Amino acid sequence: MNNPGTLKVVAGSDREIIMTRAFDAPRLLVFEAFTKCELLKRWLLGPPGWSMVVCKMDLKEGGAYRWVWRNDSNGTEMGVGGVFREIQPPERIVHTEKFDQAWYSGEALITTVLTEQAGKTTLTATLLYDSRETRDNVLKSPMESGVKASYDRLEELLASTVNRPPTR
Amino acid sequence: MSNSEHLDATFAALADPTRRAILARLASGEISVMDLAKPFAISQPAISRHLKVLERAGLISRGREAQRRPCRIEAKPLAEASRWLENYRRFWEANFQRLDALLHEMKMRDKKRSRNKGDHR
Protein backbone atom coordinates (compact mmCIF):
# COMPACT_ATOMS: atom_id res chain seq x y z
CA MET A 1 0.00 0.00 0.00
CA ASN A 2 1.39 3.35 -0.96
CA ASN A 3 2.20 5.54 1.99
CA PRO A 4 1.18 9.00 0.74
CA GLY A 5 4.60 9.94 1.87
CA THR A 6 6.20 12.37 4.21
CA LEU A 7 7.11 15.81 3.03
CA LYS A 8 10.77 16.40 2.30
CA VAL A 9 12.11 19.94 2.62
CA VAL A 10 15.57 20.89 1.47
CA ALA A 11 17.29 24.25 1.44
CA GLY A 12 18.60 24.41 -2.12
CA SER A 13 22.07 25.65 -2.83
CA ASP A 14 21.19 29.24 -3.59
CA ARG A 15 17.99 31.09 -2.65
CA GLU A 16 15.65 28.13 -2.78
CA ILE A 17 13.50 25.93 -0.64
CA ILE A 18 12.56 22.68 -2.33
CA MET A 19 9.62 20.62 -1.12
CA THR A 20 8.89 17.10 -2.37
CA ARG A 21 5.80 15.09 -1.52
CA ALA A 22 4.03 12.04 -2.93
CA PHE A 23 0.24 11.84 -3.17
CA ASP A 24 -1.91 8.75 -3.62
CA ALA A 25 -3.98 10.24 -6.44
CA PRO A 26 -3.74 10.91 -10.18
CA ARG A 27 -2.13 14.12 -11.28
CA LEU A 28 -5.34 15.60 -12.66
CA LEU A 29 -6.93 15.52 -9.21
CA VAL A 30 -3.88 17.02 -7.51
CA PHE A 31 -3.78 19.79 -10.13
CA GLU A 32 -7.46 20.47 -9.50
CA ALA A 33 -6.88 20.67 -5.76
CA PHE A 34 -4.15 23.25 -6.37
CA THR A 35 -6.17 25.41 -8.74
CA LYS A 36 -9.86 25.37 -7.76
CA CYS A 37 -10.96 27.71 -4.99
CA GLU A 38 -13.56 25.38 -3.47
CA LEU A 39 -10.81 22.77 -3.08
CA LEU A 40 -7.95 25.09 -2.02
CA LYS A 41 -10.06 26.36 0.86
CA ARG A 42 -10.20 22.83 2.22
CA TRP A 43 -6.46 22.32 2.68
CA LEU A 44 -4.30 25.40 2.09
CA LEU A 45 -4.63 26.89 5.53
CA GLY A 46 -2.36 28.41 8.15
CA PRO A 47 -1.93 27.19 11.69
CA PRO A 48 -5.09 25.78 13.35
CA GLY A 49 -7.93 28.23 13.69
CA TRP A 50 -7.57 30.00 10.33
CA SER A 51 -9.92 29.81 7.33
CA MET A 52 -9.47 30.95 3.78
CA VAL A 53 -12.08 33.68 3.36
CA VAL A 54 -11.07 35.14 0.01
CA CYS A 55 -10.00 33.12 -2.98
CA LYS A 56 -9.62 34.59 -6.45
CA MET A 57 -7.93 32.64 -9.20
CA ASP A 58 -7.55 33.92 -12.73
CA LEU A 59 -5.91 30.75 -13.92
CA LYS A 60 -4.10 31.86 -17.04
CA GLU A 61 -0.64 33.14 -17.84
CA GLY A 62 -0.52 36.73 -16.67
CA GLY A 63 -3.64 36.21 -14.56
CA ALA A 64 -3.68 37.21 -10.90
CA TYR A 65 -4.63 35.31 -7.76
CA ARG A 66 -5.45 36.44 -4.26
CA TRP A 67 -5.91 34.47 -1.05
CA VAL A 68 -6.88 35.85 2.33
CA TRP A 69 -7.03 33.87 5.56
CA ARG A 70 -8.82 34.97 8.69
CA ASN A 71 -8.26 33.93 12.27
CA ASP A 72 -11.60 32.52 13.44
CA SER A 73 -11.17 33.69 17.02
CA ASN A 74 -9.96 37.28 16.63
CA GLY A 75 -10.62 38.25 13.02
CA THR A 76 -7.00 38.99 12.11
CA GLU A 77 -6.44 38.61 8.42
CA MET A 78 -3.46 37.65 6.33
CA GLY A 79 -3.44 38.12 2.58
CA VAL A 80 -1.22 37.03 -0.28
CA GLY A 81 -1.32 37.56 -4.01
CA GLY A 82 0.59 37.33 -7.22
CA VAL A 83 0.54 36.48 -10.86
CA PHE A 84 0.67 33.23 -12.81
CA ARG A 85 3.74 33.21 -15.05
CA GLU A 86 3.23 29.74 -16.54
CA ILE A 87 0.40 27.23 -16.48
CA GLN A 88 0.64 23.83 -18.14
CA PRO A 89 -2.17 21.63 -16.85
CA PRO A 90 -1.83 19.19 -15.27
CA GLU A 91 1.92 19.30 -14.82
CA ARG A 92 3.28 22.76 -14.08
CA ILE A 93 2.41 26.05 -12.43
CA VAL A 94 4.77 28.98 -11.95
CA HIS A 95 3.53 31.91 -9.91
CA THR A 96 4.78 34.86 -7.92
CA GLU A 97 3.96 35.34 -4.25
CA LYS A 98 3.90 38.45 -2.10
CA PHE A 99 2.23 38.73 1.29
CA ASP A 100 0.31 41.88 2.30
CA GLN A 101 2.22 41.97 5.56
CA ALA A 102 5.58 41.46 3.76
CA TRP A 103 7.01 39.15 6.41
CA TYR A 104 9.80 38.34 4.02
CA SER A 105 11.47 40.72 1.61
CA GLY A 106 10.67 40.94 -2.07
CA GLU A 107 8.59 38.61 -4.15
CA ALA A 108 8.98 34.85 -4.25
CA LEU A 109 8.76 32.77 -7.42
CA ILE A 110 7.14 29.38 -6.90
CA THR A 111 7.43 26.54 -9.41
CA THR A 112 5.13 23.59 -8.87
CA VAL A 113 5.74 20.44 -10.89
CA LEU A 114 3.52 17.34 -10.79
CA THR A 115 4.67 14.02 -12.19
CA GLU A 116 2.55 10.87 -12.26
CA GLN A 117 3.45 7.20 -12.13
CA ALA A 118 1.00 4.33 -11.76
CA GLY A 119 -1.77 6.61 -10.55
CA LYS A 120 0.38 8.30 -7.90
CA THR A 121 1.61 11.87 -8.12
CA THR A 122 4.86 13.41 -6.98
CA LEU A 123 4.87 17.13 -6.24
CA THR A 124 8.08 19.12 -6.42
CA ALA A 125 7.71 22.75 -5.39
CA THR A 126 10.66 25.10 -5.70
CA LEU A 127 10.34 28.37 -3.80
CA LEU A 128 12.82 30.96 -4.99
CA TYR A 129 13.48 34.04 -2.82
CA ASP A 130 15.30 37.26 -3.58
CA SER A 131 18.33 36.41 -1.47
CA ARG A 132 19.83 33.63 0.57
CA GLU A 133 19.11 35.62 3.71
CA THR A 134 15.42 35.93 2.80
CA ARG A 135 15.26 32.21 2.14
CA ASP A 136 16.84 31.50 5.52
CA ASN A 137 14.39 33.87 7.26
CA VAL A 138 11.47 32.06 5.64
CA LEU A 139 12.84 28.72 6.84
CA LYS A 140 13.33 30.06 10.34
CA SER A 141 9.76 31.20 10.64
CA PRO A 142 7.18 30.01 8.11
CA MET A 143 3.70 31.36 7.56
CA GLU A 144 3.14 31.06 11.29
CA SER A 145 5.33 34.09 11.87
CA GLY A 146 3.44 36.01 9.21
CA VAL A 147 0.36 35.11 11.14
CA LYS A 148 2.01 36.07 14.41
CA ALA A 149 3.17 39.35 12.89
CA SER A 150 -0.39 40.22 11.86
CA TYR A 151 -1.66 39.36 15.31
CA ASP A 152 1.04 41.43 17.00
CA ARG A 153 0.10 44.37 14.83
CA LEU A 154 -3.53 43.99 15.77
CA GLU A 155 -2.56 43.94 19.45
CA GLU A 156 -0.49 47.10 18.98
CA LEU A 157 -3.42 48.80 17.32
CA LEU A 158 -5.77 47.79 20.12
CA ALA A 159 -3.28 48.94 22.74
CA SER A 160 -2.86 52.34 21.09
CA THR A 161 -6.62 52.76 20.82
CA VAL A 162 -7.15 51.95 24.47
CA ASN A 163 -4.46 54.39 25.65
CA ARG A 164 -5.66 57.30 23.54
CA PRO A 165 -7.15 60.03 25.75
CA PRO A 166 -10.93 60.38 25.39
CA THR A 167 -11.98 63.01 22.84
CA ARG A 168 -15.32 63.81 24.46
CA MET B 1 30.31 35.77 11.09
CA SER B 2 26.95 37.36 11.85
CA ASN B 3 24.07 35.15 12.91
CA SER B 4 22.33 35.23 9.55
CA GLU B 5 25.58 34.57 7.70
CA HIS B 6 26.07 31.54 9.90
CA LEU B 7 22.67 30.16 9.08
CA ASP B 8 23.28 30.84 5.41
CA ALA B 9 26.54 28.95 5.53
CA THR B 10 24.89 26.06 7.35
CA PHE B 11 22.15 25.64 4.76
CA ALA B 12 24.65 25.99 1.92
CA ALA B 13 26.77 23.32 3.55
CA LEU B 14 23.76 20.99 3.90
CA ALA B 15 22.59 21.55 0.34
CA ASP B 16 25.19 19.26 -1.15
CA PRO B 17 24.60 15.47 -1.00
CA THR B 18 28.32 14.64 -0.66
CA ARG B 19 28.62 16.97 2.30
CA ARG B 20 25.51 15.45 3.88
CA ALA B 21 27.09 12.03 3.40
CA ILE B 22 30.33 13.24 5.01
CA LEU B 23 28.38 14.53 8.02
CA ALA B 24 26.51 11.24 8.28
CA ARG B 25 29.81 9.35 8.47
CA LEU B 26 31.25 11.74 11.03
CA ALA B 27 28.17 11.26 13.21
CA SER B 28 29.62 7.91 14.28
CA GLY B 29 32.98 9.37 15.27
CA GLU B 30 36.19 11.10 14.22
CA ILE B 31 37.64 10.17 10.86
CA SER B 32 40.84 11.35 9.21
CA VAL B 33 40.64 13.23 5.93
CA MET B 34 42.34 10.33 4.15
CA ASP B 35 39.83 7.80 5.44
CA LEU B 36 36.90 10.10 4.73
CA ALA B 37 37.87 10.35 1.05
CA LYS B 38 37.98 6.58 0.58
CA PRO B 39 34.31 5.67 -0.14
CA PHE B 40 33.64 8.68 -2.35
CA ALA B 41 34.40 8.38 -6.04
CA ILE B 42 35.95 11.85 -6.06
CA SER B 43 39.46 13.16 -5.57
CA GLN B 44 40.99 14.14 -2.25
CA PRO B 45 41.24 17.82 -3.29
CA ALA B 46 37.50 17.71 -3.96
CA ILE B 47 36.86 16.21 -0.54
CA SER B 48 39.06 18.90 1.00
CA ARG B 49 36.96 21.58 -0.69
CA HIS B 50 33.82 20.06 0.83
CA LEU B 51 35.50 19.90 4.22
CA LYS B 52 36.43 23.58 3.96
CA VAL B 53 32.78 24.50 3.37
CA LEU B 54 31.71 22.39 6.35
CA GLU B 55 34.43 23.88 8.54
CA ARG B 56 33.53 27.47 7.58
CA ALA B 57 29.92 26.69 8.50
CA GLY B 58 31.12 25.49 11.89
CA LEU B 59 29.71 22.02 11.24
CA ILE B 60 33.03 20.21 11.59
CA SER B 61 36.33 20.90 13.22
CA ARG B 62 39.66 19.53 12.04
CA GLY B 63 42.63 18.47 14.09
CA ARG B 64 46.05 19.96 13.45
CA GLU B 65 47.98 16.73 12.89
CA ALA B 66 48.84 17.30 9.22
CA GLN B 67 49.10 13.63 8.32
CA ARG B 68 45.94 12.30 9.84
CA ARG B 69 43.89 15.53 10.31
CA PRO B 70 40.94 13.94 12.08
CA CYS B 71 37.58 15.57 11.36
CA ARG B 72 34.95 15.87 14.04
CA ILE B 73 31.29 16.82 13.67
CA GLU B 74 30.07 19.89 15.57
CA ALA B 75 26.52 19.08 16.47
CA LYS B 76 25.08 22.41 17.70
CA PRO B 77 24.76 24.48 14.48
CA LEU B 78 23.56 21.43 12.64
CA ALA B 79 20.90 20.79 15.27
CA GLU B 80 19.74 24.40 15.04
CA ALA B 81 19.38 24.39 11.27
CA SER B 82 17.70 20.99 11.42
CA ARG B 83 15.21 22.28 13.94
CA TRP B 84 14.23 25.16 11.68
CA LEU B 85 13.89 22.91 8.66
CA GLU B 86 11.81 20.54 10.77
CA ASN B 87 9.42 23.27 11.98
CA TYR B 88 8.95 24.49 8.44
CA ARG B 89 8.42 20.95 7.23
CA ARG B 90 5.84 20.22 9.92
CA PHE B 91 3.92 23.36 9.04
CA TRP B 92 3.53 22.32 5.42
CA GLU B 93 2.97 18.68 6.29
CA ALA B 94 -0.23 19.71 8.11
CA ASN B 95 -1.51 21.28 4.89
CA PHE B 96 -0.59 18.24 2.83
CA GLN B 97 -2.28 15.85 5.23
CA ARG B 98 -5.49 17.80 4.70
CA LEU B 99 -4.84 17.53 0.98
CA ASP B 100 -4.43 13.74 1.33
CA ALA B 101 -7.91 13.54 2.88
CA LEU B 102 -9.40 15.79 0.21
CA LEU B 103 -7.83 13.76 -2.61
CA HIS B 104 -9.24 10.58 -1.08
CA GLU B 105 -12.69 12.19 -1.09
CA MET B 106 -12.26 13.25 -4.71
CA LYS B 107 -11.26 9.73 -5.77
CA MET B 108 -14.32 8.25 -4.02
CA ARG B 109 -16.51 10.83 -5.72
CA ASP B 110 -15.07 9.91 -9.12
CA LYS B 111 -15.52 6.19 -8.45
CA LYS B 112 -19.15 6.76 -7.52
CA ARG B 113 -19.74 8.85 -10.63
CA SER B 114 -18.31 6.22 -12.98
CA ARG B 115 -20.33 3.48 -11.25
CA ASN B 116 -23.50 5.53 -11.66
CA LYS B 117 -22.73 6.18 -15.31
CA GLY B 118 -22.52 2.42 -15.84
CA ASP B 119 -25.93 1.90 -14.24
CA HIS B 120 -27.62 4.18 -16.73
CA ARG B 121 -26.67 2.06 -19.73
Side-chain angles (χ1 to χ4, degrees):
Chain A
M1 156 62 197
N2 176 58
N3 168 16
T6 36
L7 169 63
K8 205 177 87 175
V9 177
V10 180
S13 59
D14 192 15
R15 310 171 267 141
E16 297 173 338
I17 296 170
I18 301 163
M19 302 201 289
T20 321
R21 197 5 169 110
F23 294 98
D24 188 7
R27 189 163 60 168
L28 258 155
L29 293 189
V30 180
F31 188 85
E32 254 184 85
F34 268 78
T35 52
K36 288 193 171 156
C37 279
E38 66 267 25
L39 299 175
L40 273 167
K41 288 180 179 193
R42 298 275 308 271
W43 68 272
L44 188 63
L45 307 174
W50 290 71
S51 317
M52 192 187 281
V53 293
V54 170
C55 180
K56 296 195 179 115
M57 301 277 279
D58 185 12
L59 198 70
K60 64 170 197 274
E61 292 185 1
Y65 76 94
R66 179 148 177 80
W67 302 326
V68 179
W69 295 273
R70 183 183 294 147
N71 183 319
D72 300 330
S73 62
N74 65 28
T76 314
E77 288 192 351
M78 182 171 62
V80 69
V83 163
F84 294 106
R85 293 271 177 83
E86 287 175 47
I87 302 180
Q88 291 165 41
E91 58 189 64
R92 185 181 169 85
I93 306 167
V94 181
H95 70 274
T96 62
E97 172 188 277
K98 198 178 173 85
F99 279 81
D100 295 351
Q101 289 82 355
W103 57 279
Y104 62 80
S105 86
E107 198 178 63
L109 187 71
I110 300 175
T111 303
T112 305
V113 173
L114 303 174
T115 56
E116 180 175 327
Q117 193 161 36
K120 320 276 186 239
T121 302
T122 301
L123 158 81
T124 307
T126 306
L127 295 75
L128 179 68
Y129 296 95
D130 66 358
S131 72
R132 257 198 197 161
E133 186 174 358
T134 305
R135 187 275 309 274
D136 292 351
N137 287 337
V138 169
L139 271 175
K140 276 208 287 189
S141 44
M143 214 157 97
E144 275 198 42
S145 91
V147 163
K148 183 180 181 306
S150 323
Y151 189 63
D152 286 348
R153 227 158 281 156
L154 177 61
E155 277 200 349
E156 271 171 37
L157 178 64
L158 291 175
S160 68
T161 313
V162 163
N163 289 330
R164 197 176 301 148
T167 49
R168 267 185 276 126
Chain B
M1 246 196 210
S2 78
N3 208 7
S4 72
E5 282 170 337
H6 242 297
L7 186 54
D8 224 12
T10 303
F11 284 136
L14 292 174
D16 180 279
T18 304
R19 290 197 283 271
R20 289 200 295 272
I22 291 172
L23 286 173
R25 287 199 64 210
L26 289 175
S28 11
E30 260 182 33
I31 305 176
S32 72
V33 178
M34 260 178 1
D35 290 338
L36 256 183
K38 279 182 193 154
F40 298 104
I42 61 180
S43 65
Q44 189 147 330
I47 282 281
S48 292
R49 275 198 296 276
H50 283 303
L51 292 177
K52 217 181 244 168
V53 173
L54 289 171
E55 197 173 28
R56 249 189 289 126
L59 295 176
I60 65 167
S61 56
R62 288 197 269 184
R64 284 290 135 209
E65 306 155 31
Q67 290 283 16
R68 297 185 63 255
R69 296 216 80 191
C71 303
R72 186 189 310 119
I73 198 169
E74 298 292 331
K76 196 155 163 275
L78 187 57
E80 232 174 15
S82 299
R83 193 175 60 234
W84 279 314
L85 273 171
E86 182 52 26
N87 281 342
Y88 187 86
R89 200 197 64 79
R90 251 188 266 146
F91 177 82
W92 274 102
E93 179 58 13
N95 279 338
F96 289 137
Q97 282 180 3
R98 278 186 285 261
L99 179 52
D100 283 334
L102 175 61
L103 288 168
H104 181 79
E105 212 182 277
M106 287 163 77
K107 286 197 301 181
M108 294 297 109
R109 169 205 73 186
D110 283 358
K111 252 193 206 140
K112 221 191 245 180
R113 278 198 196 137
S114 59
R115 262 205 303 270
N116 290 344
K117 271 201 194 126
D119 291 345
H120 289 303
R121 250 179 292 132

